[in-house]
mmCIF file of all heavy atoms in Angstrom:
data_model
loop_
_atom_site.group_PDB
_atom_site.id
_atom_site.type_symbol
_atom_site.label_atom_id
_atom_site.label_comp_id
_atom_site.label_asym_id
_atom_site.label_seq_id
_atom_site.Cartn_x
_atom_site.Cartn_y
_atom_site.Cartn_z
ATOM 1 N N ARG L 88 18.921 3.053 -148.202
ATOM 2 C CA ARG L 88 17.589 3.192 -147.611
ATOM 3 C C ARG L 88 17.215 4.666 -147.433
ATOM 4 O O ARG L 88 16.045 5.035 -147.597
ATOM 5 C CB ARG L 88 17.502 2.432 -146.288
ATOM 6 C CG ARG L 88 17.547 0.917 -146.481
ATOM 7 C CD ARG L 88 17.170 0.172 -145.228
ATOM 8 N NE ARG L 88 17.246 -1.265 -145.397
ATOM 9 C CZ ARG L 88 16.263 -2.027 -145.867
ATOM 10 N NH1 ARG L 88 15.127 -1.466 -146.248
ATOM 11 N NH2 ARG L 88 16.406 -3.335 -145.962
ATOM 12 N N LEU L 89 18.201 5.499 -147.102
ATOM 13 C CA LEU L 89 17.939 6.937 -147.057
ATOM 14 C C LEU L 89 17.618 7.461 -148.453
ATOM 15 O O LEU L 89 16.747 8.324 -148.623
ATOM 16 C CB LEU L 89 19.145 7.687 -146.489
ATOM 17 C CG LEU L 89 19.348 7.634 -144.971
ATOM 18 C CD1 LEU L 89 20.577 8.432 -144.598
ATOM 19 C CD2 LEU L 89 18.124 8.151 -144.236
ATOM 20 N N SER L 90 18.322 6.954 -149.446
ATOM 21 C CA SER L 90 18.043 7.360 -150.826
ATOM 22 C C SER L 90 16.638 6.953 -151.232
ATOM 23 O O SER L 90 15.917 7.718 -151.893
ATOM 24 C CB SER L 90 19.065 6.736 -151.784
ATOM 25 O OG SER L 90 20.373 7.204 -151.518
ATOM 26 N N GLN L 91 16.222 5.752 -150.832
ATOM 27 C CA GLN L 91 14.881 5.285 -151.159
ATOM 28 C C GLN L 91 13.834 6.180 -150.505
ATOM 29 O O GLN L 91 12.828 6.545 -151.136
ATOM 30 C CB GLN L 91 14.700 3.842 -150.698
ATOM 31 C CG GLN L 91 13.331 3.259 -151.037
ATOM 32 C CD GLN L 91 13.088 1.908 -150.405
ATOM 33 O OE1 GLN L 91 13.952 1.355 -149.709
ATOM 34 N NE2 GLN L 91 11.908 1.355 -150.621
ATOM 35 N N PHE L 92 14.048 6.521 -149.251
ATOM 36 C CA PHE L 92 13.108 7.396 -148.534
ATOM 37 C C PHE L 92 12.997 8.750 -149.230
ATOM 38 O O PHE L 92 11.896 9.257 -149.478
ATOM 39 C CB PHE L 92 13.594 7.562 -147.083
ATOM 40 C CG PHE L 92 12.736 8.444 -146.225
ATOM 41 C CD1 PHE L 92 11.353 8.443 -146.345
ATOM 42 C CD2 PHE L 92 13.315 9.275 -145.278
ATOM 43 C CE1 PHE L 92 10.568 9.259 -145.540
ATOM 44 C CE2 PHE L 92 12.540 10.096 -144.477
ATOM 45 C CZ PHE L 92 11.165 10.085 -144.604
ATOM 46 N N TRP L 93 14.137 9.316 -149.591
ATOM 47 C CA TRP L 93 14.176 10.612 -150.277
ATOM 48 C C TRP L 93 13.496 10.526 -151.647
ATOM 49 O O TRP L 93 12.620 11.329 -151.974
ATOM 50 C CB TRP L 93 15.640 11.040 -150.422
ATOM 51 C CG TRP L 93 15.898 12.346 -151.108
ATOM 52 C CD1 TRP L 93 15.945 12.580 -152.453
ATOM 53 C CD2 TRP L 93 16.161 13.604 -150.476
ATOM 54 N NE1 TRP L 93 16.232 13.898 -152.698
ATOM 55 C CE2 TRP L 93 16.367 14.550 -151.501
ATOM 56 C CE3 TRP L 93 16.260 14.016 -149.154
ATOM 57 C CZ2 TRP L 93 16.662 15.891 -151.240
ATOM 58 C CZ3 TRP L 93 16.548 15.347 -148.885
ATOM 59 C CH2 TRP L 93 16.740 16.267 -149.921
ATOM 60 N N ASP L 94 13.896 9.531 -152.423
ATOM 61 C CA ASP L 94 13.381 9.413 -153.783
ATOM 62 C C ASP L 94 11.878 9.136 -153.797
ATOM 63 O O ASP L 94 11.123 9.758 -154.561
ATOM 64 C CB ASP L 94 14.115 8.302 -154.529
ATOM 65 C CG ASP L 94 15.587 8.628 -154.786
ATOM 66 O OD1 ASP L 94 15.968 9.793 -154.593
ATOM 67 O OD2 ASP L 94 16.332 7.709 -155.184
ATOM 68 N N ASP L 95 11.427 8.193 -152.966
ATOM 69 C CA ASP L 95 10.005 7.861 -152.937
ATOM 70 C C ASP L 95 9.177 9.065 -152.510
ATOM 71 O O ASP L 95 8.068 9.287 -153.022
ATOM 72 C CB ASP L 95 9.748 6.693 -151.993
ATOM 73 C CG ASP L 95 10.243 5.365 -152.545
ATOM 74 O OD1 ASP L 95 10.496 5.288 -153.763
ATOM 75 O OD2 ASP L 95 10.383 4.407 -151.758
ATOM 76 N N SER L 96 9.701 9.837 -151.572
ATOM 77 C CA SER L 96 8.987 11.037 -151.117
ATOM 78 C C SER L 96 8.823 12.026 -152.264
ATOM 79 O O SER L 96 7.718 12.542 -152.509
ATOM 80 C CB SER L 96 9.738 11.706 -149.957
ATOM 81 O OG SER L 96 9.830 10.861 -148.840
ATOM 82 N N TYR L 97 9.919 12.300 -152.983
ATOM 83 C CA TYR L 97 9.853 13.322 -154.034
ATOM 84 C C TYR L 97 9.115 12.832 -155.283
ATOM 85 O O TYR L 97 8.552 13.644 -156.028
ATOM 86 C CB TYR L 97 11.255 13.834 -154.367
ATOM 87 C CG TYR L 97 11.667 14.940 -153.421
ATOM 88 C CD1 TYR L 97 12.634 14.726 -152.445
ATOM 89 C CD2 TYR L 97 11.079 16.199 -153.493
ATOM 90 C CE1 TYR L 97 13.003 15.737 -151.566
ATOM 91 C CE2 TYR L 97 11.435 17.216 -152.622
ATOM 92 C CZ TYR L 97 12.394 16.976 -151.661
ATOM 93 O OH TYR L 97 12.751 17.981 -150.779
ATOM 94 N N ILE L 98 9.083 11.532 -155.519
ATOM 95 C CA ILE L 98 8.253 11.029 -156.609
ATOM 96 C C ILE L 98 6.788 11.356 -156.322
ATOM 97 O O ILE L 98 6.065 11.884 -157.175
ATOM 98 C CB ILE L 98 8.431 9.510 -156.799
ATOM 99 C CG1 ILE L 98 9.794 9.201 -157.418
ATOM 100 C CG2 ILE L 98 7.327 8.944 -157.696
ATOM 101 C CD1 ILE L 98 10.088 7.720 -157.517
ATOM 102 N N ALA L 99 6.346 11.034 -155.095
ATOM 103 C CA ALA L 99 4.952 11.295 -154.744
ATOM 104 C C ALA L 99 4.661 12.789 -154.691
ATOM 105 O O ALA L 99 3.559 13.226 -155.049
ATOM 106 C CB ALA L 99 4.620 10.638 -153.405
ATOM 107 N N ILE L 100 5.631 13.590 -154.253
ATOM 108 C CA ILE L 100 5.455 15.042 -154.274
ATOM 109 C C ILE L 100 5.293 15.534 -155.711
ATOM 110 O O ILE L 100 4.448 16.390 -156.014
ATOM 111 C CB ILE L 100 6.634 15.739 -153.570
ATOM 112 C CG1 ILE L 100 6.536 15.548 -152.051
ATOM 113 C CG2 ILE L 100 6.682 17.232 -153.918
ATOM 114 C CD1 ILE L 100 7.753 16.012 -151.280
ATOM 115 N N ALA L 101 6.099 14.979 -156.623
ATOM 116 C CA ALA L 101 5.984 15.360 -158.033
ATOM 117 C C ALA L 101 4.641 14.930 -158.604
ATOM 118 O O ALA L 101 3.989 15.673 -159.352
ATOM 119 C CB ALA L 101 7.120 14.735 -158.839
ATOM 120 N N GLN L 102 4.211 13.731 -158.259
ATOM 121 C CA GLN L 102 2.928 13.240 -158.761
ATOM 122 C C GLN L 102 1.786 14.155 -158.336
ATOM 123 O O GLN L 102 0.965 14.582 -159.164
ATOM 124 C CB GLN L 102 2.687 11.819 -158.259
ATOM 125 C CG GLN L 102 3.597 10.774 -158.896
ATOM 126 C CD GLN L 102 3.457 9.422 -158.220
ATOM 127 O OE1 GLN L 102 3.483 9.319 -156.997
ATOM 128 N NE2 GLN L 102 3.307 8.373 -159.013
ATOM 129 N N THR L 103 1.715 14.446 -157.058
ATOM 130 C CA THR L 103 0.617 15.281 -156.567
ATOM 131 C C THR L 103 0.723 16.707 -157.085
ATOM 132 O O THR L 103 -0.281 17.325 -157.450
ATOM 133 C CB THR L 103 0.586 15.272 -155.037
ATOM 134 O OG1 THR L 103 1.883 15.648 -154.523
ATOM 135 C CG2 THR L 103 0.219 13.904 -154.496
ATOM 136 N N SER L 104 1.946 17.232 -157.149
ATOM 137 C CA SER L 104 2.131 18.610 -157.616
ATOM 138 C C SER L 104 1.732 18.757 -159.075
ATOM 139 O O SER L 104 1.110 19.754 -159.475
ATOM 140 C CB SER L 104 3.586 19.046 -157.438
ATOM 141 O OG SER L 104 3.937 19.096 -156.064
ATOM 142 N N ASN L 105 2.074 17.780 -159.890
ATOM 143 C CA ASN L 105 1.728 17.865 -161.305
ATOM 144 C C ASN L 105 0.221 17.723 -161.530
ATOM 145 O O ASN L 105 -0.337 18.330 -162.444
ATOM 146 C CB ASN L 105 2.499 16.820 -162.107
ATOM 147 C CG ASN L 105 3.942 17.252 -162.343
ATOM 148 O OD1 ASN L 105 4.214 18.429 -162.510
ATOM 149 N ND2 ASN L 105 4.848 16.296 -162.340
ATOM 150 N N ILE L 106 -0.431 16.937 -160.701
ATOM 151 C CA ILE L 106 -1.893 16.886 -160.772
ATOM 152 C C ILE L 106 -2.467 18.273 -160.479
ATOM 153 O O ILE L 106 -3.363 18.763 -161.181
ATOM 154 C CB ILE L 106 -2.462 15.855 -159.774
ATOM 155 C CG1 ILE L 106 -2.042 14.434 -160.168
ATOM 156 C CG2 ILE L 106 -3.987 15.947 -159.719
ATOM 157 C CD1 ILE L 106 -2.374 13.393 -159.115
ATOM 158 N N LEU L 107 -1.931 18.920 -159.445
ATOM 159 C CA LEU L 107 -2.430 20.244 -159.056
ATOM 160 C C LEU L 107 -2.161 21.286 -160.136
ATOM 161 O O LEU L 107 -2.938 22.240 -160.295
ATOM 162 C CB LEU L 107 -1.785 20.671 -157.735
ATOM 163 C CG LEU L 107 -2.201 19.851 -156.506
ATOM 164 C CD1 LEU L 107 -1.315 20.178 -155.311
ATOM 165 C CD2 LEU L 107 -3.662 20.091 -156.166
ATOM 166 N N LYS L 108 -1.077 21.105 -160.899
ATOM 167 C CA LYS L 108 -0.771 22.050 -161.977
ATOM 168 C C LYS L 108 -1.624 21.793 -163.211
ATOM 169 O O LYS L 108 -1.960 22.722 -163.959
ATOM 170 C CB LYS L 108 0.711 21.974 -162.353
ATOM 171 C CG LYS L 108 1.651 22.485 -161.268
ATOM 172 C CD LYS L 108 3.097 22.458 -161.699
ATOM 173 C CE LYS L 108 3.390 23.529 -162.727
ATOM 174 N NZ LYS L 108 4.830 23.639 -163.027
ATOM 175 N N MET L 109 -1.987 20.542 -163.438
ATOM 176 C CA MET L 109 -2.705 20.190 -164.657
ATOM 177 C C MET L 109 -4.202 20.418 -164.564
ATOM 178 O O MET L 109 -4.863 20.674 -165.558
ATOM 179 C CB MET L 109 -2.442 18.719 -165.007
ATOM 180 C CG MET L 109 -1.041 18.443 -165.509
ATOM 181 S SD MET L 109 -0.851 16.734 -166.062
ATOM 182 C CE MET L 109 -1.030 15.855 -164.522
ATOM 183 N N ILE L 110 -4.745 20.303 -163.359
ATOM 184 C CA ILE L 110 -6.197 20.347 -163.199
ATOM 185 C C ILE L 110 -6.570 21.558 -162.359
ATOM 186 O O ILE L 110 -6.130 21.691 -161.210
ATOM 187 C CB ILE L 110 -6.710 19.043 -162.566
ATOM 188 C CG1 ILE L 110 -6.354 17.865 -163.486
ATOM 189 C CG2 ILE L 110 -8.212 19.112 -162.327
ATOM 190 C CD1 ILE L 110 -6.719 16.520 -162.931
ATOM 191 N N LYS L 111 -7.388 22.419 -162.897
ATOM 192 C CA LYS L 111 -7.758 23.659 -162.223
ATOM 193 C C LYS L 111 -8.843 23.403 -161.181
ATOM 194 O O LYS L 111 -9.693 22.535 -161.331
ATOM 195 C CB LYS L 111 -8.264 24.677 -163.244
ATOM 196 C CG LYS L 111 -7.207 25.154 -164.227
ATOM 197 C CD LYS L 111 -7.782 26.186 -165.194
ATOM 198 C CE LYS L 111 -6.726 26.668 -166.160
ATOM 199 N NZ LYS L 111 -7.263 27.681 -167.121
ATOM 200 N N GLU L 112 -8.783 24.225 -160.139
ATOM 201 C CA GLU L 112 -9.829 24.172 -159.120
ATOM 202 C C GLU L 112 -11.140 24.725 -159.675
ATOM 203 O O GLU L 112 -11.163 25.460 -160.653
ATOM 204 C CB GLU L 112 -9.408 25.005 -157.897
ATOM 205 C CG GLU L 112 -8.199 24.480 -157.160
ATOM 206 C CD GLU L 112 -7.844 25.351 -155.961
ATOM 207 O OE1 GLU L 112 -8.758 26.015 -155.438
ATOM 208 O OE2 GLU L 112 -6.654 25.379 -155.580
ATOM 209 N N GLY L 113 -12.228 24.353 -159.005
ATOM 210 C CA GLY L 113 -13.514 24.947 -159.317
ATOM 211 C C GLY L 113 -14.321 24.246 -160.381
ATOM 212 O O GLY L 113 -15.404 24.719 -160.742
ATOM 213 N N GLN L 114 -13.845 23.122 -160.888
ATOM 214 C CA GLN L 114 -14.603 22.417 -161.925
ATOM 215 C C GLN L 114 -15.794 21.663 -161.336
ATOM 216 O O GLN L 114 -16.842 21.577 -161.957
ATOM 217 C CB GLN L 114 -13.697 21.462 -162.694
ATOM 218 C CG GLN L 114 -12.562 22.164 -163.424
ATOM 219 C CD GLN L 114 -11.757 21.204 -164.286
ATOM 220 O OE1 GLN L 114 -12.323 20.446 -165.068
ATOM 221 N NE2 GLN L 114 -10.447 21.237 -164.143
ATOM 222 N N SER L 115 -15.606 21.123 -160.156
ATOM 223 C CA SER L 115 -16.702 20.457 -159.452
ATOM 224 C C SER L 115 -16.257 20.218 -158.019
ATOM 225 O O SER L 115 -15.054 20.204 -157.715
ATOM 226 C CB SER L 115 -17.068 19.125 -160.113
ATOM 227 O OG SER L 115 -16.044 18.161 -159.903
ATOM 228 N N GLU L 116 -17.213 20.018 -157.149
ATOM 229 C CA GLU L 116 -16.886 19.749 -155.743
ATOM 230 C C GLU L 116 -16.097 18.446 -155.620
ATOM 231 O O GLU L 116 -15.159 18.351 -154.825
ATOM 232 C CB GLU L 116 -18.172 19.675 -154.921
ATOM 233 C CG GLU L 116 -17.912 19.449 -153.435
ATOM 234 C CD GLU L 116 -19.184 19.390 -152.611
ATOM 235 O OE1 GLU L 116 -20.266 19.685 -153.167
ATOM 236 O OE2 GLU L 116 -19.101 19.038 -151.419
ATOM 237 N N GLU L 117 -16.466 17.463 -156.421
ATOM 238 C CA GLU L 117 -15.771 16.181 -156.370
ATOM 239 C C GLU L 117 -14.324 16.322 -156.827
ATOM 240 O O GLU L 117 -13.406 15.757 -156.207
ATOM 241 C CB GLU L 117 -16.496 15.156 -157.246
ATOM 242 C CG GLU L 117 -15.858 13.771 -157.199
ATOM 243 C CD GLU L 117 -16.569 12.765 -158.081
ATOM 244 O OE1 GLU L 117 -17.565 13.142 -158.721
ATOM 245 O OE2 GLU L 117 -16.117 11.606 -158.128
ATOM 246 N N MET L 118 -14.101 17.074 -157.902
ATOM 247 C CA MET L 118 -12.743 17.289 -158.393
ATOM 248 C C MET L 118 -11.910 18.060 -157.373
ATOM 249 O O MET L 118 -10.758 17.719 -157.102
ATOM 250 C CB MET L 118 -12.781 18.048 -159.720
ATOM 251 C CG MET L 118 -13.328 17.235 -160.881
ATOM 252 S SD MET L 118 -12.112 16.052 -161.491
ATOM 253 C CE MET L 118 -10.992 17.177 -162.305
#
Side-chain angles (χ1 to χ4, degrees):
R88 291 192 182 273
L89 283 180
S90 296
Q91 182 188 359
F92 180 37
W93 180 278
D94 293 348
D95 288 343
S96 298
Y97 275 108
I98 288 175
I100 287 171
Q102 290 172 312
T103 54
S104 295
N105 282 325
I106 294 171
L107 292 169
K108 292 183 72 172
M109 289 186 293
I110 299 176
K111 294 181 179 180
E112 295 180 26
Q114 298 185 50
S115 71
E116 182 179 352
E117 182 181 359
M118 290 283 287

